[in-house]
Amino acid sequence: EGTDYTLPSGKFEIQYNPIKNDMLYASFTRGIKSGGFTTYNSGSVGVASAPFKPESLLAYEVGNKFSLPSQHLRFNVAGFYYEYSNQQIQSASLNPKTGLVGSIVNAPRSHMYGGEIEAEWHPLRGLTLSQSAGFAVGAFDKFSSLYSAHIVNGLYVGDYRNRKGEELPFPKFTVNGSVSYTWDLGRYNLTTGIDYSLRSTYHSLFGSLYNVAGYTLWGADMSFGPKDGKWTIAAFGKNIFDKKYDVERNYFVQGANIALAGMPATWGVRLSVNY
């Protein structure tokens, strides 16, 4: 049996330039995330989870984009407020024979608000410094979810918790930065760079065992090619210090400790040709 999802989305934005090289803006967006099915656990535990509904979002954003060309500086700042309907949350469904089984469910109403900053500076010829940071907090406005189960007459019965006012299971802080320098080698350019990304800890609906610890990852890259850009050869490294971290930790079945591990140190070479 199929499930059909047809919902509209769109964006409205206004912009104003109070002075040269400065732009104020405000936007309103309606976004849609398709519904679906939780299928990864159906065969193993014999439960067919009900389909989860589409997630809809009303996003309000205001911001300012400012640049100082003479100082080679660009700075952006923004604040946002999100209203979710049927937000898709990793939670659990009940199987009377086996207990709780991890699945995606809908939280009827929730919200999130926060801000972002972004800066890019070229203090010297060839040198680029960039930095961005984001902060977001949110909470459920209407949501009750399963958090445990107990046996009655040989079958599991679910225990529900009212999550109203509880924080959304997302990291509060994200920070990214990079520095690169381009060396002038006559007809050629050599660019070297290093970057990092940081994400704070976020807390699961099912307790500390399923929290995702914060982590910081470092990367590096180097590229070489003619100034006309006809070809470039680049070497790169991601997670160069081989940080062990989890991208996600989910409730699966009672007592199971399930996590999606992040990528280990990865190195590569890339050749690009333009014609």
Side-chain angles (χ1 to χ4, degrees):
E1 180 181 348
T3 302
D4 183 37
Y5 304 112
T6 304
L7 293 169
S9 62
K11 181 176 182 179
F12 173 78
E13 181 172 297
I14 57 174
Q15 301 176 356
Y16 175 63
N17 299 94
I19 59 175
K20 186 178 180 180
N21 301 319
D22 186 42
M23 184 187 75
L24 298 171
Y25 70 91
S27 68
F28 168 74
T29 305
R30 184 174 193 262
I32 302 296
K33 186 177 181 180
S34 178
F37 299 85
T38 305
T39 58
Y40 63 83
N41 55 26
S42 299
S44 61
V45 295
V47 59
S49 299
F52 50 87
K53 301 175 183 178
E55 173 184 297
S56 64
L57 168 67
L58 298 180
Y60 308 86
E61 182 174 336
V62 294
N64 185 52
K65 297 184 178 182
F66 179 65
S67 64
L68 292 171
S70 59
Q71 281 74 39
H72 311 289
L73 175 66
R74 178 175 59 85
F75 182 77
N76 302 330
V77 60
F80 62 86
Y81 183 84
Y82 293 165
E83 291 182 359
Y84 291 96
S85 294
N86 291 318
Q87 186 178 15
Q88 294 168 9
I89 298 293
Q90 177 67 37
S91 185
S93 298
L94 178 68
N95 183 320
K97 296 182 179 180
T98 62
L100 301 188
V101 181
S103 64
I104 297 174
V105 303
N106 295 105
R109 290 201 304 271
S110 54
H111 71 273
M112 178 185 290
Y113 60 90
E116 300 172 343
I117 60 171
E118 180 184 27
E120 184 175 287
W121 187 31
H122 303 273
L124 301 172
R125 182 179 178 85
L127 178 63
T128 301
L129 305 173
S130 65
Q131 181 67 59
S132 63
F135 171 73
V137 292
F140 295 110
D141 299 312
K142 182 181 179 182
F143 183 40
S144 293
S145 71
L146 286 161
Y147 73 94
S148 65
H150 61 278
I151 298 176
V152 177
N153 297 326
L155 296 176
Y156 282 93
V157 176
D159 302 311
Y160 287 82
R161 176 178 293 171
N162 184 358
R163 302 287 184 176
K164 182 178 180 179
E166 289 190 20
E167 292 185 356
L168 297 181
F170 293 103
K172 289 184 178 180
F173 296 98
T174 55
V175 184
N176 300 277
S178 67
V179 57
S180 66
Y181 188 79
T182 299
W183 309 79
D184 189 335
L185 303 179
R187 294 173 53 193
Y188 300 92
N189 282 334
L190 173 66
T191 300
T192 57
I194 190 167
D195 61 86
Y196 79 97
S197 61
L198 176 151
R199 189 174 80 167
S200 65
T201 296
Y202 76 81
H203 301 277
S204 168
L205 299 179
F206 289 98
S208 59
L209 179 63
Y210 300 95
N211 291 348
V212 178
Y215 56 83
T216 301
L217 304 179
W218 290 86
D221 61 86
M222 178 182 295
S223 64
F224 176 80
K227 291 182 178 178
D228 60 16
K230 289 185 177 180
W231 59 267
T232 304
I233 185 169
F236 62 88
K238 299 180 179 180
N239 189 14
I240 58 176
F241 298 116
D242 201 26
K243 171 72 175 178
K244 303 298 189 296
Y245 67 103
D246 291 331
V247 176
E248 192 173 0
R249 299 185 69 85
N250 284 340
Y251 191 94
F252 183 59
V253 293
Q254 193 75 25
N257 189 351
I258 303 297
L260 174 63
M263 291 291 292
T266 305
W267 306 89
V269 176
R270 179 171 52 246
L271 175 64
S272 302
V273 178
N274 296 318
Y275 58 91

